[in-house]
């Protein structure tokens, strides 16, 4: 395994992070526990979860994934071996069964206390804001609509004040953002620069993969110049970058088969690009999954690559991507395909 640090901290994390969003829906508790055992044995010390998991979000399954992790900590005694990240759910129609107060002080406190209880731990290493409160980007939408009007009032100072209090109480160590824009990232960073008693956002968890490299437009410069590290999620594009959906008969238990609303990586251009990437990988004796993950691992703005799997076989292959070095011929081939079909999945 290779390791890095959460930016501006002494917290050492594996460059492969174990994602957990299938546990409690696509995966049983037993399977989730087996994945954590396996990943830790392979040197993965960084686990990412959220109160919203498992996904798709469902009231009856609210926060089950955190509970599964908590019971594993109790069973194994491995809490101190893991750098643990979780998130508060943002606003959205699919989260209204959780709360409707966004990131107000009481909502943040309630969310942290709930996660601590379910995870059966005294502290969270990295606490993240899952989505912006304001109306801006979302799945399937590329840019900000200048004509839209929302009723969000800038409360970023207040959010950071609440997070500061939680840090001072020892309940969280570091903070981060997720699904953010360049404006949002800089707004948080500038607030903590001006008010140095406020915590600094150290990471940003956004999608990044061969079919969606929109992080490179604006946010990569923010990440490099401001030292805020990318935690790349969906590096396999909901599994489409394994190539398993390219056949005539989709896999019966695949995420996109089970949940067809997860179609952002399945449009015509995305499928065409995936076929090209699959051919490039085959030409060089790699699986598409290995090439897709190894590409993400090469990015200079990456702190950790969040992988997920529904089987130990998939998990083993995904973790092993850390040991793959892509030659220039593959990297040049990737850029050629990207320039032909850039970012087909918003």
């Amino acid at each position: 395994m290779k390791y890095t640090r959460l930016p501006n901290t002494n917290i050492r994390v594996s460059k492969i992070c174990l994602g957990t969003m299938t546990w409690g829906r696509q995966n049983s508790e037993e399977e989730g526990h087996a994945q954590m055992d396996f990943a830790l044995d392979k040197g993965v010390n960084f686990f990412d979860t959220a109160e919203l998991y498992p996904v798709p979000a469902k009231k009856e399954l609210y926060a089950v994934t955190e509970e599964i992790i908590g019971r594993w900590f109790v069973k194994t005694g491995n809490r101190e071996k893991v750098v643990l990240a979780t998130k508060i759910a943002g606003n959205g129609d699919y989260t209204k069964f959780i709360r409707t107060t966004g990131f107000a002080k009481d909502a943040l406190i309630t969310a942290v206390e709930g996660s601590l209880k379910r995870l059966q731990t005294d502290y969270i290493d990295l606490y993240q804001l899952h989505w912006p409160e304001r109306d801006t980007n979302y799945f399937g939408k590329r840019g900000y609509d200048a004509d839209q009007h929302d009723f969000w009032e800038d409360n970023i100072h207040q959010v950071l004040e609440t997070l500061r209090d939680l840090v001072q109480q020892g309940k969280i160590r570091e903070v981060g953002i997720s699904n953010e824009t360049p404006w949002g990232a800089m707004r948080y960073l500038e607030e903590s620069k001006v008010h140095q008693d406020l915590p600094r956002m150290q990471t940003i968890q956004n999608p990044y993969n061969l079919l969606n490299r929109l992080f490179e437009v604006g946010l990569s410069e923010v990440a490099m110049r401001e030292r805020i590290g990318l935690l790349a999620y969906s590096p396999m594009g909901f599994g489409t970058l394994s190539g398993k959906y390219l056949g005539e008969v989709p896999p019966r238990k695949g995420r996109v088969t089970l949940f067809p609303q997860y179609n952002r990586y399945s449009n015509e251009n995305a499928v065409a690009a995936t076929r090209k990437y699959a051919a490039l990988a085959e030409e060089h004796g790699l699986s598409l999954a290995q090439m897709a993950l190894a590409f993400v691992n090469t990015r200079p703005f990456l702190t950790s690559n969040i992988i997920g799997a529904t089987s130990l076989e998939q998990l083993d292959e995904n973790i092993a991507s850390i040991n793959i070095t892509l030659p220039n011929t593959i990297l040049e081939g990737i850029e050629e395909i990207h320039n032909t079909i850039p970012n087909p999945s918003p």
Side-chain angles (χ1 to χ4, degrees):
M1 183 49 58
K2 297 177 182 177
Y3 298 89
T4 182
R5 295 186 186 276
L6 295 184
N8 315 293
T9 79
N10 63 356
I11 301 176
R12 182 172 177 264
V13 295
S14 50
K15 206 163 184 181
I16 296 292
C17 175
L18 181 62
T20 64
M21 70 179 185
T22 62
W23 303 351
R25 191 148 189 179
Q26 282 180 266
N27 285 111
S28 67
E29 178 164 337
E30 182 181 5
E31 288 169 334
H33 286 192
Q35 286 193 29
M36 287 185 278
D37 290 337
F38 185 89
L40 194 60
D41 185 60
K42 292 290 185 179
V44 174
N45 76 334
F46 192 18
F47 296 178
D48 178 74
T49 191
E51 67 166 339
L52 190 64
Y53 296 167
V55 294
K58 188 177 181 182
K59 183 177 181 179
E60 294 78 10
L61 295 176
Y62 166 62
V64 163
T65 305
E66 287 190 328
E67 293 173 349
I68 289 172
I69 296 170
R71 287 190 285 269
W72 181 80
F73 283 147
V74 172
K75 181 177 76 173
T76 65
N78 283 334
R79 174 64 185 95
E80 297 305 313
K81 296 180 180 179
V82 171
V83 177
L84 177 64
T86 192
K87 316 175 195 73
I88 179 175
N91 284 337
D93 289 339
Y94 58 94
T95 64
K96 286 183 178 177
F97 65 85
I98 302 175
R99 68 183 66 86
T100 58
T101 50
F103 302 146
K105 182 176 181 178
D106 61 336
L108 274 164
I109 293 171
T110 299
V112 168
E113 294 290 354
S115 288
L116 288 170
K117 182 177 180 179
R118 289 184 295 268
L119 291 162
Q120 302 198 51
T121 184
D122 296 327
Y123 67 97
I124 296 161
D125 295 290
L126 177 66
Y127 196 68
Q128 303 156 97
L129 311 179
H130 209 156
W131 281 92
E133 284 184 280
R134 62 196 189 280
D135 291 334
T136 178
N137 64 307
Y138 51 79
F139 288 158
K141 181 181 178 184
R142 288 185 184 272
Y144 177 70
D145 182 357
D147 294 327
Q148 74 181 13
H149 177 74
D150 62 54
F151 298 96
W152 177 76
E153 294 184 8
D154 192 326
N155 64 343
I156 285 175
H157 186 93
Q158 175 193 308
V159 169
L160 290 173
E161 280 187 328
T162 306
L163 292 172
R164 176 201 62 200
D165 294 345
L166 291 163
V167 170
Q168 290 176 347
Q169 293 164 20
K171 294 177 180 177
I172 56 179
R173 297 177 69 190
E174 301 292 344
V175 292
I177 46 182
S178 181
N179 295 299
E180 259 295 359
T181 65
W183 182 87
M186 287 303 301
R187 179 71 186 81
Y188 276 106
L189 291 170
E190 287 301 309
E191 192 70 28
S192 59
K193 281 183 184 178
V194 173
H195 305 279
Q196 295 185 6
D197 65 314
L198 298 180
R200 183 187 194 278
M201 294 299 181
Q202 309 290 24
T203 58
I204 176 169
Q205 183 175 151
N206 275 35
Y208 186 81
N209 55 58
L210 290 173
L211 301 176
N212 182 341
R213 293 169 57 178
L214 292 171
F215 189 87
E216 295 175 6
V217 184
L219 274 169
S220 61
E221 183 176 13
V222 173
M224 296 292 287
R225 295 189 186 278
E226 299 294 326
R227 290 181 53 79
I228 180 171
L230 172 64
L231 306 181
Y233 79 80
S234 285
M236 294 280 291
F238 293 162
T240 60
L241 286 168
S242 68
K244 63 186 178 183
Y245 296 103
L246 293 178
E248 293 185 7
V249 180
R252 184 170 58 89
K253 293 185 178 181
R255 187 181 310 166
V256 177
T257 307
L258 293 172
F259 311 115
Q261 67 269 34
Y262 285 173
N263 58 5
R264 67 185 303 203
Y265 298 106
S266 303
N267 63 69
E268 184 178 346
N269 285 338
V271 172
T274 300
R275 292 190 186 280
K276 289 180 178 291
Y277 287 123
L280 178 65
E282 183 178 8
E283 179 186 340
H284 289 84
L286 293 174
S287 71
L288 176 54
Q290 289 173 321
M291 187 181 82
L293 292 170
F295 172 75
V296 175
N297 294 339
T298 66
R299 302 297 87 184
F301 42 77
L302 180 78
T303 290
S304 195
N305 186 358
I306 304 174
I307 61 166
T310 53
S311 72
L312 291 181
E313 292 76 18
Q314 289 177 341
L315 185 60
D316 190 19
E317 180 182 26
N318 292 351
I319 292 174
S321 70
I322 197 65
N323 298 316
I324 295 174
T325 300
L326 297 180
N328 286 336
T329 50
I330 292 184
L331 293 173
E332 290 166 2
I334 287 173
E335 291 307 312
E336 184 177 342
I337 296 168
H338 177 63
N339 289 333
T340 303
I341 312 177
N343 297 316
S345 299

